[in-house]
Amino acid sequence: MTLSLNSFLLISGLLFAIGFFGVLLRRNALVIFMSLELMLNASILALVAFSRFNGTMDGNLFVFFIITVAAAEIAVGLAIIVSLFRKRQSVMVEQLSSLKN
Amino acid sequence: MILILVSPLISAGVIALFFRDSGGIASAISVAASACILVFSIILLMHAPETTYSASIEWFAVGDFTLSLGFLLNGHTALLLFVVSFVGFWIHLFSVGYMDDDKAKGRFFGGLSIFMFSMLGIVLADNLAMIFIFWELVGFSSYMLIAHYCDTDEAASASKKAFIVNRVGDFGFLIGIVWCFWHFGTLDLKEMSWAVSMDPSLAITGLGLLLICGFLGKSAQFPLHVWLPDAMAGPTPISALIHAATMVAAGIFLLVRIDFLLTPFVLDWIAWTGAGMAFFAGLIALGQNDIKKILAYSTLSQLGYMAAAVGIGLPGLGLFHLTTHAFFKALLFLCSGSIIHACHHEQDIFKMGGLLRKMPVTSLAFLAGMLALMGANYTAGYWSKEAIMTAALAIDPLVFWFLIGGAVLTALYMGRLFFIAFFGKPRSVNVEHCKESGPVMILPLIVLAILALVGGFYTFWPEVLSQSFIGEVNNVYHGEEFHSAHESLKIWGTVAWIAGLAIALLIYGVGTSKDRLDGWLPGLVLVFRRRLFIDDVYDFYVTKIQQRFVDILGFLDLFLISGVFVRGSAGIAGLLGVFTRSLHVGSIHGYVYWFLLGVVLFWAFSMGWI
Amino acid sequence: MVFDSTLLLLSFLIPLFGGFTLLGFRNLSPSIIRLVALTCFTVPLLIAVWMYFMFVDAPITDGYRFYTEMDTGLGDFGIFLTLGLNGVSLPLFFLAGLVGLAAGIQALHSDAGRRQLYLSLLLIMQGGLMGTFASIDVFFFYFFHELALIPTFVMIGIWGGFGRRSAAIEMTIYLTLGALISLLGLLLLYTSAGDISFNLITIREYLASQPLSETLSNNIFGLLLFGFGILVSLFPFHSWAPRGYAAAPTAAAMLHAGVLKKFGLYGLIQIAYPLLPQGAAHWGPLLLWLALGNVVVIGLITMAQRDLKQMVGYSSVMHMGYCFLGLVTFDAIGIGGAVMLMFGHGLSVALLFLLSTAVFHRTQTYDMKEMGGLASRTPILAGMFVAATFASIGLPGFANFWGEFAIFVSLWNYEPWVLVPAAAGIVISAIYGLRAVAWIFFGAPSEALKEHWKENKPFDLRQGERLSATLLFSGLLIVGFFPRIFSDYINLDVSTIFATDPAMVDNVSTEGAVGELSELYEVIPEPDHIQAEVSR
């Protein structure tokens, strides 16, 4: 069965939506990060699909950039979460509200 | 002439700087200065030319407005210069004796010198602005001197009252002066009188009314008379100098100087105020027990005579009475000062008694002054007072009736004072121990007493002094139109004072210890004692109305302007702050939503929808 | 001449230098602090005196003497440090020097803690004041004013009295708001004058050749009026004054009320009125009512005060009303009178604040009703206070009288009925002034006060206080007796800038004055003509 572009895009969109709502609705900071990763990966999938179906290499090339950026971002973000955990003993996002007002 | 003006100023300055504590030296300097003034004045007058003389320099100029310092020497000036310097000198001398037990002598004599400076400034001035300047300075000296006994509440409030009431008069005076400047283009008296003589319609009633506000304040006529009796809180020589002979006379002097500016309406007003004052002040004097207050109201009454004289169109008569009044009123005050000093500052006449025996010279001097005041025939007061009443009878009979009533009252209250204080037995410990005062104080009394008795023979006055009034006085006594009035007044006048004296004798007897009239007609006496309740009206206004009003204003300012507007706007800024602060929800999810919103907005913008 | 101009530069540089020295070096010995402070306070006054004597013969450039121009790097914007004095700024320059020295002496003899910091702030303020009156460039004019204003915030906040924190904040924000509004006006002026230069003379010449449209003139003038007005406590923007002065330390109050307050009026006279006559005519009626509000309403409110410093603060606001009235008349007499009054008022209000603190030291209270009987115990203090009070209510013999009288004269020409409420002010001021004197000095002291005096006997004026007070008092007396010391110079400039309408009797409309003004930009005085007039 040949998979059309649309199915890839559908999957990608689904993944993106799951990640998106995860960021908005989950309370655990680590889970939010995972959702972010999910969104990034969804965009990677979409890019590869386009590249495959258009026959160009542009999409593939861009994937490398995204992977690099994602990795860097995870590194920094996790470092922040770890030090926050050391301060607050919690990673639940509601409790990180000292900037309120 | 500059020396005359400057020497008391120098004296004041020197005293203030160096000799505040050593009262003796201060008094010496001050007396020396006043002697200098007297000597210079006499020299000046002897050398003075027949006609008027003037000189001026520019003192201040801005834009088109120039204020000059100038001198104008004419008949009025000459007369008043003599009066001020002469009476002033004797009072300085008297003060040396009176103030010998006072701690703040230096301040007192410094103040006296400043007063002489200011008064002479008024006398010698040639333009209205300069008069105003020295007018205010006289008010200031009066304030300083009334407040001499500064530890007492009466002195504090009396000095305040004097200056403020004077200021109210100055307020009208100032507006009048400014109007004058723009109306005539100048404030110089000579130029203005020339302008008016060319074109009589230039004199405006309103202008005149405003200018006489100054007179009303300084000479304590209704409704600005309330400060004078309170001013008796000052030492007696002050009362003699300032409030009997000179400062209050400044008002009359002003009237005479600006006489050409006064329309008939204004003159009528002055005459009526004067006549009314002459009568009603006499009534009030009947209800007073303090010797100085009686004399104060007597001064008010006599000022009324002078005002009436100006009002009926014979300012020279007013000046003549001013001169004689200066002599005998100063004398009376100095006598009372001598009494007060000897009786250790006892001032209630009902506590005195038998003074005739204890202090003979003072009593006789007082008698001389009293006779002059009542207008007993051939004393100084007789000539001036009768002249005014004669003229009044001929020109405006209604004014005359008030004046003659005033004369009767004068004799009445003076008789009351004399019989109670000088006869009978001493009624208090202080008075029992009193004895005649020292020579320094007696000498001025004698000199003034002599003048009070003989000073009225105007024909013997030197030309330079009498030129301002001799014409009118002669006219009144020998002229055609006054002849009938003169004849009838010879009788009426004499009757008036003898009647007054007799009534006093009847009512009060000799040496009574209580006020008999009070016993018979308490209500009437109460009205008199309470000064016809005029003072109470002022007090009510000040404390209840004025103070409440300003307190409300203050509260409004605090509440509305500071509170509502200023704090309000600060509050609004604060509210804005609170509102924007609440946007910081502190939760990451909130920030994500904001982020999302931002992205949507960017997208819409880039799509061209915004 | 270059020497004189350098002196002008030094007059504000030296205090600034002294101020920053004291600020920078920590823990200097007290004698060095004293030396630096005394020198830096005295030098400006000496320079001012020198300037005064040199003023007559100094060459005139565009109406200013001792003209000098320096580039401070902002030349591209048209901003040069241009200094000079004219007849209006000379008395105020002198005033700044005199009051500065008096305030400095007072500060040196006061018992303020952290004296080094206090003196450095005062010196910076003094530098700013001298610079304000010496500068012709509008930008630097504003700059020096802000330089003088900021230290007051710190001084009130740290060394002030009761309620100082909130008073400092309120006052500074309010005044900065005023300065901001006036800055807007000044910037608008700059752009309307062709964006060339902030130099006042250049702007003046430009506007002479290309006058502004009426709306623009009105708007700029309005901004300037309200901006400067807030700075001078124009009614109803006066609330900062009583609270601010009541909370301020003495030297700061003296300098602020005495000198800094005059800045707004000075700006109006030098900048707004000559350059924007249509605006002035347009806003005149409103200003008239506001100024009357100052005189009458604030005057009455002053009568309701029991606190001594608040009373002095309110009375200072009231007298600014007179100056505004002088400005409204828009003629030489009124404006010249306003300048004279500014000078006299600066001295008298500084003296009053000085003496109020002196009274406080002897009675430990500012509530006047609680005092009494000081006159017999402290005669010199009493005498000075009475003199200061009489000076401020306009008694002849002190400098204030000449200004007030001239203002009254000019008011009648402008609009006769205005004189009635304005002159009523002299009665009102007499009432509260004398009442204060009676409460504080006369009568018997209250019980609480007598108790207090059993341990701390009231002492008469001490050395430092006496020196300060004498400086101010002699200034008042000398100008009071010889007003021509300053009035001649004021008259020189004011008569050429503002002509009196020759119509003598009532109903003088300001249109007449406006008509004349458009010609006078060419009538900037020629040197020979003026030299001949001034030769004495």
Side-chain angles (χ1 to χ4, degrees):
Chain A
M1 176 171 115
T2 33
L3 295 166
S4 63
L5 180 58
N6 285 342
S7 26
F8 283 107
L9 290 183
L10 191 63
I11 306 266
S12 168
L14 213 54
L15 280 177
F16 189 84
I18 294 174
F20 182 69
F21 283 106
V23 167
L24 284 183
L25 298 173
R26 298 301 294 256
R27 287 174 306 155
N28 194 318
L30 286 168
V31 173
I32 292 179
F33 257 90
M34 288 195 281
S35 312
L36 270 173
E37 277 306 297
L38 201 52
M39 282 200 285
L40 279 169
N41 283 309
S43 66
I44 289 179
L45 182 59
L47 273 169
V48 171
F50 275 119
S51 157
R52 167 78 163 86
F53 277 95
N54 288 339
T56 63
M57 293 303 286
D58 298 336
N60 295 328
L61 219 38
F62 196 52
V63 166
F64 281 105
F65 285 109
I66 296 183
I67 293 178
T68 319
V69 167
E73 169 213 334
I74 291 291
V76 172
L78 282 179
I80 293 179
I81 292 186
V82 167
S83 63
L84 257 181
F85 179 72
R86 286 210 192 118
K87 227 24 202 106
R88 300 296 170 93
Q89 311 304 320
S90 153
V91 285
M92 291 299 150
V93 154
E94 300 103 20
Q95 290 167 1
L96 303 172
S97 64
S98 54
L99 265 185
K100 190 182 174 93
N101 293 339
Chain B
M1 216 180 302
I2 302 183
L3 276 176
I4 298 181
L5 197 55
V6 165
S7 53
L9 182 63
I10 298 180
S11 145
V14 164
I15 294 180
L17 286 174
F18 301 116
F19 295 117
R20 237 168 313 111
D21 293 321
S22 50
I25 305 186
S27 55
I29 295 181
S30 180
V31 173
S34 74
C36 284
I37 300 174
L38 184 57
V39 167
F40 289 139
S41 309
I42 296 182
I43 296 179
L44 178 68
L45 292 173
M46 290 198 303
H47 289 292
E50 290 280 310
T51 54
T52 60
Y53 163 83
S54 72
S56 75
I57 60 169
E58 197 178 281
W59 203 355
F60 173 70
V62 72
D64 283 342
F65 173 67
T66 316
L67 204 157
S68 18
L69 174 70
F71 299 123
L72 174 66
L73 181 61
N74 64 7
H76 313 139
T77 321
L79 181 61
L80 220 65
L81 191 58
F82 172 69
V83 169
V84 170
S85 45
F86 186 76
V87 174
F89 173 70
W90 291 113
I91 295 184
H92 272 81
L93 200 56
F94 182 86
S95 314
V96 174
Y98 187 85
M99 304 296 288
D100 60 8
D101 60 351
D102 192 289
K103 290 178 312 241
K105 262 201 290 199
R107 176 155 50 101
F108 179 81
F109 281 102
L112 267 186
S113 295
I114 295 187
F115 171 77
M116 291 303 277
F117 167 66
S118 327
M119 188 67 211
L120 289 170
I122 294 182
V123 168
L124 294 169
D126 77 337
N127 65 67
L128 278 179
M130 188 173 155
I131 291 185
F132 182 76
I133 291 177
F134 285 101
W135 197 263
E136 295 250 328
L137 281 176
V138 167
F140 165 68
S141 337
S142 167
Y143 170 82
M144 233 187 88
L145 290 166
I146 297 176
H148 182 74
Y149 298 124
C150 53
D151 285 328
T152 58
D153 284 323
E154 298 95 50
S157 61
S159 58
K160 196 174 21 132
K161 192 171 184 178
F163 192 79
I164 293 176
V165 174
N166 257 298
R167 259 276 153 121
V168 176
D170 291 347
F171 158 73
F173 194 24
L174 178 66
I175 299 181
I177 292 181
V178 174
W179 188 354
C180 232
F181 174 72
W182 290 109
H183 187 63
F184 287 101
T186 171
L187 286 174
D188 189 280
L189 287 171
K190 277 199 339 293
E191 288 176 25
M192 287 199 291
S193 76
W194 180 82
V196 172
S197 61
M198 292 289 128
D199 177 12
S201 71
L202 275 181
I204 309 178
T205 301
L207 191 54
L209 279 177
L210 282 172
L211 286 175
I212 67 170
C213 283
F215 152 71
L216 289 180
K218 196 65 79 189
S219 295
Q221 297 296 298
F222 183 83
L224 296 174
H225 63 279
V226 293
W227 65 271
L228 190 56
D230 283 6
M232 297 299 123
T236 314
I238 302 302
S239 309
L241 181 62
I242 300 184
H243 307 128
T246 42
M247 179 170 132
V248 291
I252 306 286
F253 181 69
L254 174 74
L255 281 185
V256 173
R257 275 280 215 237
I258 61 171
D259 188 52
F260 54 88
L261 281 176
L262 305 174
T263 54
F265 178 78
V266 177
L267 286 176
D268 275 340
W269 184 278
I270 298 176
W272 281 110
T273 315
M277 207 66 210
F279 185 72
F280 287 109
L283 286 178
I284 300 179
L286 267 184
Q288 303 302 317
N289 292 343
D290 181 327
I291 187 173
K292 285 176 69 173
K293 292 238 170 39
I294 297 180
L295 291 176
Y297 279 105
S298 159
T299 307
L300 286 182
S301 171
Q302 296 305 306
L303 285 170
Y305 276 89
M306 296 179 223
V310 175
I312 58 180
L314 296 168
L317 294 183
L319 273 186
F320 187 35
H321 193 54
L322 192 156
T323 317
T324 55
H325 176 262
F327 293 144
F328 58 71
K329 194 45 71 64
L331 170 65
L332 284 172
F333 267 107
L334 289 185
C335 289
S336 60
S338 166
I339 297 173
I340 292 173
H341 185 72
C343 301
H344 298 289
H345 294 277
E346 178 58 67
Q347 293 182 222
D348 188 338
I349 56 173
F350 287 103
K351 299 253 175 55
M352 306 179 192
L355 285 173
L356 193 57
R357 253 171 283 126
K358 297 238 180 220
M359 303 177 70
V361 183
T362 308
S363 311
L364 286 176
F366 193 93
L367 184 60
M370 189 178 103
L371 287 174
L373 174 57
M374 296 192 308
N377 296 42
Y378 302 110
T379 56
Y382 167 75
W383 293 108
S384 55
K385 211 163 163 189
E386 302 309 299
I388 298 180
M389 291 206 281
T390 312
L393 182 56
I395 297 180
D396 193 346
L398 205 42
V399 169
F400 166 73
W401 285 112
F402 274 97
L403 290 184
I404 197 101
V408 175
L409 282 172
T410 307
L412 190 56
Y413 61 72
M414 286 310 284
R416 169 176 177 261
L417 197 162
F418 193 66
F419 294 135
I420 292 175
F422 287 90
F423 292 103
K425 287 213 239 309
R427 271 163 257 136
S428 71
V429 176
N430 278 338
V431 181
E432 280 191 16
H433 295 173
C434 74
K435 53 182 176 37
E436 191 57 75
S437 305
V440 172
M441 290 167 68
I442 292 287
L443 186 58
L445 295 182
I446 299 179
V447 170
L448 286 173
I450 298 177
L451 271 177
L453 289 175
V454 309
F457 294 102
Y458 53 88
T459 40
F460 297 112
W461 281 54
E463 171 75 33
V464 65
L465 289 178
S466 65
Q467 59 176 283
S468 55
F469 58 81
I470 195 104
E472 293 175 14
V473 176
N474 266 328
N475 197 16
V476 168
Y477 280 121
H478 304 295
E480 275 304 311
E481 61 262 35
F482 294 106
H483 190 68
S484 55
H486 182 57
E487 293 302 316
S488 41
L489 201 66
K490 274 200 220 163
I491 309 171
W492 281 112
T494 320
V495 165
W497 70 267
I498 294 184
L501 212 51
I503 300 177
L505 195 55
L506 275 174
I507 299 182
Y508 296 101
V510 174
T512 45
S513 55
K514 274 205 313 276
D515 195 340
R516 278 198 200 152
L517 194 60
D518 196 14
W520 298 345
L521 298 166
L524 199 59
V525 175
L526 184 65
V527 172
F528 295 156
R529 190 167 305 147
R530 302 284 287 160
R531 313 174 189 182
L532 300 180
F533 295 111
I534 299 181
D535 280 46
D536 296 317
V537 170
Y538 278 120
D539 272 337
F540 177 78
Y541 162 72
V542 170
T543 48
K544 298 286 184 324
I545 300 182
Q546 183 172 288
Q547 195 57 35
R548 291 229 180 108
F549 181 64
V550 302
D551 279 335
I552 292 178
L553 266 185
F555 173 73
L556 273 180
D557 173 67
L558 217 51
F559 182 68
L560 268 185
I561 299 185
S562 300
V564 170
F565 292 129
V566 177
R567 306 276 173 72
S569 47
I572 292 181
L575 271 179
L576 266 176
V578 167
F579 174 65
T580 42
R581 199 171 70 169
S582 66
L583 290 177
H584 286 253
V585 288
S587 87
I588 296 189
H589 285 144
Y591 294 138
V592 175
Y593 283 119
W594 277 107
F595 184 72
L596 199 59
L597 185 63
V599 168
V600 168
L601 281 173
F602 255 126
W603 184 44
F605 181 68
S606 62
M607 295 292 281
W609 292 350
I610 294 183
Chain C
M1 203 223 61
V2 181
F3 174 65
D4 291 337
S5 307
T6 328
L7 276 187
L8 259 187
L9 186 63
L10 282 180
S11 74
F12 63 84
L13 274 187
I14 290 188
L16 280 179
F17 174 73
F20 284 116
T21 317
L22 288 180
L23 200 55
F25 295 97
R26 305 274 148 184
N27 297 322
L28 290 175
S29 77
S31 49
I32 294 196
I33 299 178
R34 256 185 110 81
L35 185 65
V36 172
L38 260 179
T39 340
C40 295
F41 275 119
T42 322
V43 168
L45 178 61
L46 291 175
I47 294 181
V49 173
W50 175 265
M51 289 294 162
Y52 174 77
F53 285 113
M54 292 290 115
F55 194 78
V56 190
D57 302 314
I60 310 179
T61 325
D62 292 320
Y64 286 90
R65 302 175 202 233
F66 316 121
Y67 185 90
T68 177
E69 193 173 296
M70 277 167 266
D71 194 346
T72 51
L74 292 167
D76 291 334
F77 295 111
I79 302 175
F80 291 92
L81 180 56
T82 325
L83 301 174
L85 290 179
N86 73 355
V88 175
S89 48
L90 178 68
L92 296 174
F93 188 73
F94 195 88
L95 175 70
L98 190 55
V99 176
L101 181 58
I105 296 179
Q106 200 277 343
L108 278 172
H109 289 270
S110 74
D111 49 5
R114 291 157 75 181
R115 191 165 313 187
Q116 189 170 341
L117 185 59
Y118 187 52
L119 285 170
S120 78
L121 285 170
L122 266 180
L123 279 171
I124 296 178
M125 189 174 176
Q126 167 79 342
L129 289 172
M130 302 300 286
T132 306
F133 292 118
S135 65
I136 305 179
D137 186 280
V138 170
F139 173 81
F140 274 104
F141 168 70
Y142 184 81
F143 168 79
F144 281 119
H145 170 258
E146 292 301 305
L147 188 62
L149 187 56
I150 301 304
T152 59
F153 173 63
V154 184
M155 282 195 275
I156 298 179
I158 304 182
W159 288 277
F162 179 73
R164 56 184 180 268
R165 293 277 161 75
S166 56
I169 295 180
E170 177 184 345
M171 188 164 127
T172 311
I173 292 184
Y174 212 147
L175 289 179
T176 314
L177 178 67
L180 185 66
I181 299 180
S182 59
L183 179 64
L184 270 176
L186 290 173
L187 284 175
L188 261 183
L189 196 58
Y190 169 70
T191 49
S192 330
D195 263 326
I196 310 171
S197 152
F198 272 100
N199 189 320
L200 192 56
I201 301 171
T202 322
I203 299 181
R204 203 192 314 157
E205 281 160 8
Y206 183 90
L207 286 179
S209 51
Q210 301 183 37
L212 297 171
S213 75
E214 182 146 345
T215 33
L216 193 55
S217 180
N218 290 348
N219 293 341
I220 301 183
F221 190 84
L223 282 174
L224 285 178
L225 176 64
F226 286 106
F228 287 134
I230 294 179
L231 291 175
V232 191
S233 65
L234 177 65
F235 181 85
F237 310 110
H238 61 276
S239 326
W240 57 268
R243 280 191 71 210
Y245 291 139
T250 320
M254 282 167 75
L255 272 179
H256 188 105
V259 192
L260 196 51
K261 219 178 196 187
K262 317 291 179 282
F263 164 82
L265 286 165
Y266 174 73
L268 282 173
I269 296 180
Q270 288 271 62
I271 303 176
Y273 273 88
L275 298 177
L276 306 162
Q278 303 107 310
H282 180 255
W283 287 100
L286 180 63
L287 182 57
L288 177 68
W289 282 102
L290 292 182
L292 277 180
N294 256 46
V295 173
V296 178
V297 176
I298 305 285
L300 290 175
I301 294 177
T302 320
M303 275 168 47
Q305 297 305 314
R306 276 177 60 151
D307 180 300
L308 177 57
K309 260 195 165 174
Q310 287 227 342
M311 188 201 88
V312 178
Y314 269 115
S315 84
S316 135
V317 174
M318 177 191 166
H319 286 285
M320 291 298 105
Y322 280 126
C323 291
F324 275 115
L325 283 176
L327 290 190
V328 166
T329 63
F330 205 6
D331 77 15
I333 306 180
I335 298 192
V339 179
M340 283 297 283
L341 183 57
M342 287 203 272
F343 181 81
H345 175 263
L347 290 178
S348 62
V349 80
L351 187 56
L352 275 175
F353 274 119
L354 178 68
L355 296 174
S356 308
T357 309
V359 166
F360 178 74
H361 281 146
R362 286 146 184 86
T363 57
Q364 297 306 318
T365 173
Y366 278 118
D367 187 339
M368 292 193 279
K369 283 218 170 110
E370 295 292 316
M371 308 182 197
L374 263 182
S376 44
R377 292 164 181 82
T378 57
I380 304 185
L381 174 59
M384 282 279 182
F385 196 94
V386 170
T389 308
F390 273 110
S392 88
I393 68 181
L395 188 73
F398 295 109
N400 306 46
F401 167 72
W402 301 107
E404 280 187 18
F405 197 73
I407 294 177
F408 288 143
V409 170
S410 71
L411 270 180
W412 180 275
N413 192 24
Y414 176 77
E415 198 70 60
W417 63 266
V418 178
L419 192 53
V420 177
I426 66 172
V427 180
I428 297 177
S429 55
I431 294 180
Y432 63 69
L434 292 185
R435 191 156 54 165
V437 170
W439 274 339
I440 302 176
F441 293 102
F442 299 150
S446 66
E447 283 311 313
L449 201 51
K450 277 199 245 201
E451 278 301 314
H452 175 77
W453 281 345
K454 285 209 185 100
E455 296 104 56
N456 327 16
K457 268 190 64 59
F459 43 89
D460 211 341
L461 276 186
R462 275 191 296 217
Q463 182 62 22
E465 294 166 326
R466 202 182 285 217
L467 189 53
S468 273
T470 317
L471 267 174
L472 296 169
F473 181 70
S474 33
L476 278 172
L477 261 188
I478 294 178
V479 180
F481 275 97
F482 302 106
R484 294 187 67 179
I485 293 182
F486 284 120
S487 74
D488 277 347
Y489 301 124
I490 301 176
N491 201 17
L492 220 51
D493 281 286
V494 154
S495 315
T496 43
I497 304 178
F498 310 95
T500 309
D501 198 304
M504 290 265 234
V505 199
D506 357 35
N507 299 327
V508 175
S509 67
T510 42
E511 271 84 281
V514 169
E516 276 153 29
L517 274 164
S518 42
E519 273 107 42
L520 52 77
Y521 294 129
E522 274 74 64
V523 189
I524 294 170
E526 297 104 12
D528 321 79
H529 173 60
I530 294 306
Q531 295 283 32
E533 262 186 21
V534 167
S535 58
R536 11 178 190 165

